[in-house]
């Protein structure tokens, strides 16, 4: 009755958050006295055995024509098949975009209860009890289910990666998933060269204080020098200055990076709801009374159009002297 974990990959390579999901599954399995089996769906370039480093004792690969493009229904079927074959009661996945699509379908196909956005290892297994954020990150709630089988998704970047140093055996599963598909992927439009926001460890974000979309060049330059992802406040994406995929907050993406730099953002409660899990928050705002300073670890009161280029230059020369 191993713990199953979905080992998500992008263009054949395991995502960084997969290591975190496997680490979480390992913690869960240890508490239950069982082992972790990772399921990697789709063509793989990464060595499956590498997941042993984070606690998987076995990696099951599922490949074939049906898995050439991401299709949540087909992928969920494949994972549910492996879970059934291994007699798993618990299935873990990361709350990425793909994870969010797979999770509910997987719970139906596996006949399991679904708890999303967990931020801790379950405190109890009967009933299965796990903690998640509530009320826009202002409170905590312990979710409970009496279901025998549970699919649990974790908040990306919230729990961290733990290396346990083991090795994983590798096997493959031949899936019947193709016949199950009611969704056809007609086209895939890939964003190239960008760091996916929910997984970014460093994020540079900006708001209406930037005045116009053309001024985002300096935000992108700062993000480039740091190797960071870019984000924005809601009004900015509503006006069309930035894509909605960058909108963070209560109604946008929730992120948990190590560093969040907020430029020209007031710090409204709905914005903070999506970024308050950041480990370090740096705020750049010309209004010393901006509410965001109350949530900041470091604050710079100043005009973004002066501060940001200077910060970028300073970081460039720091990197050049490394
Ligand atoms: C139901 C609901 C859900 C919402 N969900 C979200 C959400 O998910 N995410 C979100 O972001 N918002 C959300 N909002 C909107 C939120 O309430 C705020 O309106 C929004 O976050 C403000 O965006 P902003 O800080 O970019 O703009 P503003 O409030 O206009 O603030 C701009 C800031 O830039 C500063 N500034 C101006 N010029 C400069 C300069 N030259 N240099 C430095 N600083 C400068 C100003 O001092 C100000 O603090 C939601 C609102 C509602 C009602």
């Amino acid at each position: 009755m191993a713990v199953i974990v979905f080992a998500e990959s992008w263009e054949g390579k395991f995502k960084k958050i997969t290591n975190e999901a496997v680490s979480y599954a390992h913690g869960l399995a240890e508490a239950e006295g069982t082992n972790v089996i990772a399921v990697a769906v789709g063509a793989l370039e990464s060595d499956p055995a590498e997941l042993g480093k984070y606690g998987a004792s076995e990696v099951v690969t599922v490949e074939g024509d049906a898995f050439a493009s991401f299709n949540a229904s087909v992928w969920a079927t494949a994972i549910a098949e492996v879970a059934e074959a291994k007699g798993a009661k618990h299935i873990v996945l990361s709350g990425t975009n793909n994870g969010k699509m797979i999770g509910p379908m997987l719970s139906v196909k596996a006949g399991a209860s679904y708890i999303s956005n967990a931020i801790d290892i379950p405190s109890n297994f009967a009933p299965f009890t796990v903690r998640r954020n509530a009320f826009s990150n202002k409170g905590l709630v312990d979710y409970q289910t009496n279901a025998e089988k549970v699919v649990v998704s974790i908040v990306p970047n919230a729990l961290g990666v733990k290396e346990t140093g083991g090795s994983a055996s590798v096997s493959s599963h031949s899936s019947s998933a193709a016949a199950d598909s009611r969704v056809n992927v007609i086209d895939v439009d890939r964003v190239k060269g960008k760091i996916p926001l929910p997984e970014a460890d460093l994020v540079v974000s900006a708001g209406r204080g930037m005045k116009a979309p053309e001024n985002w060049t300096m935000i992108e330059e700062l993000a480039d020098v740091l190797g960071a992802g870019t984000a924005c406040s809601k009004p900015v994406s509503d006006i069309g200055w930035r894509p909605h995929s960058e909108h963070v907050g209560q109604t946008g993406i929730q992120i948990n990076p190590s560093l969040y730099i907020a430029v020209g953002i007031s710090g409204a409660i709905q914005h903070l709801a999506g970024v308050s899990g950041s480990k370090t928050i740096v705020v750049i705002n010309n209004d010393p009374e901006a509410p965001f300073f109350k949530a900041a670890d470091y604050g710079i009161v100043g005009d973004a159009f002066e501060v940001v280029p200077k910060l970028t230059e300073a970081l460039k020369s720091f990197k050049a002297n490394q």
Side-chain angles (χ1 to χ4, degrees):
M1 70 139 199
V3 173
I4 295 288
V5 56
F6 170 46
E8 194 173 339
S9 56
W10 177 248
E11 295 185 336
K13 300 202 174 75
F14 287 129
K15 292 184 164 193
K16 200 183 74 189
I17 45 80
T18 294
N19 303 339
E20 184 183 39
V22 175
S23 299
Y24 180 87
H26 183 251
L28 201 155
E30 259 194 336
E32 273 200 300
T34 182
N35 60 320
V36 175
I37 300 176
V39 184
V41 187
L44 213 55
E45 276 181 32
S46 294
D47 176 8
E50 76 186 47
L51 296 180
K53 209 162 137 190
Y54 309 103
S57 59
E58 184 183 347
V59 181
V60 179
T61 60
V62 187
E63 291 189 37
D65 292 347
F67 307 103
S69 295
F70 176 74
N71 179 324
S73 171
V74 174
W75 290 41
T77 299
I79 300 165
E81 283 172 357
V82 178
E84 178 72 26
K86 301 289 181 185
K89 282 189 186 165
H90 300 135
I91 307 175
V92 172
L93 39 82
S94 191
T96 57
N97 286 340
N98 288 0
K100 281 179 183 160
M101 281 196 275
I102 288 179
M105 293 186 189
L106 181 55
S107 68
V108 171
K109 289 170 196 270
S113 199
Y114 178 44
I115 300 184
S116 63
N117 291 332
I119 54 161
D120 209 346
I121 295 290
S123 56
N124 197 12
F125 287 97
F128 189 94
T129 310
V130 71
R131 180 157 288 191
R132 58 168 287 174
N133 291 319
F135 307 116
S136 303
N137 286 348
K138 288 200 162 350
L140 297 165
V141 61
D142 289 328
Y143 270 27
Q144 255 182 22
T145 171
N146 289 314
E148 202 198 346
K149 293 183 186 172
V150 184
V151 173
V152 57
S153 78
I154 60 171
V155 174
N157 264 337
L159 290 135
V161 173
K162 286 193 193 106
E163 288 193 23
T164 51
S167 69
S169 64
V170 180
S171 62
S172 65
H173 170 74
S174 171
S175 174
S176 66
D180 185 42
S181 174
R182 278 166 292 171
V183 179
N184 289 319
V185 179
I186 295 161
D187 192 19
V188 177
D189 191 6
R190 287 200 164 86
V191 181
K192 290 269 178 204
K194 289 211 166 188
I195 298 169
L197 192 51
E199 294 155 40
D201 196 37
L202 309 171
V203 174
V204 180
S205 185
R208 236 172 352 196
M210 296 307 297
K211 321 283 190 219
E214 55 270 23
N215 295 329
W216 248 265
T217 316
M218 70 180 189
I219 298 300
E220 278 163 348
E221 278 172 6
L222 177 56
D224 275 354
V225 71
L226 284 167
T230 51
C232 69
S233 64
K234 181 175 185 291
V236 160
S237 58
D238 285 347
I239 314 165
W241 291 359
R242 300 297 289 178
H244 270 290
S245 55
E246 291 195 359
H247 153 204
V248 289
Q250 185 183 339
T251 47
I253 298 171
Q254 190 189 337
I255 55 171
N256 301 280
S258 296
L259 175 66
Y260 183 69
I261 303 180
V263 185
I265 301 178
S266 59
I269 192 164
Q270 296 89 355
H271 185 84
L272 293 176
V275 305
S276 58
S278 310
K279 276 95 194 162
T280 302
I281 296 178
V282 177
V283 169
I284 302 169
N285 198 303
N286 62 1
D287 175 7
E289 301 298 325
F292 220 149
F293 283 121
K294 292 201 181 85
D297 296 287
Y298 300 94
I300 301 172
V301 179
D303 186 339
F305 295 88
E306 288 174 23
V307 175
V308 173
K310 280 187 184 155
L311 190 56
T312 306
E313 280 316 307
L315 283 163
K316 275 185 186 160
S317 67
F318 174 77
K319 281 179 95 174
N321 293 325
Q322 286 261 294

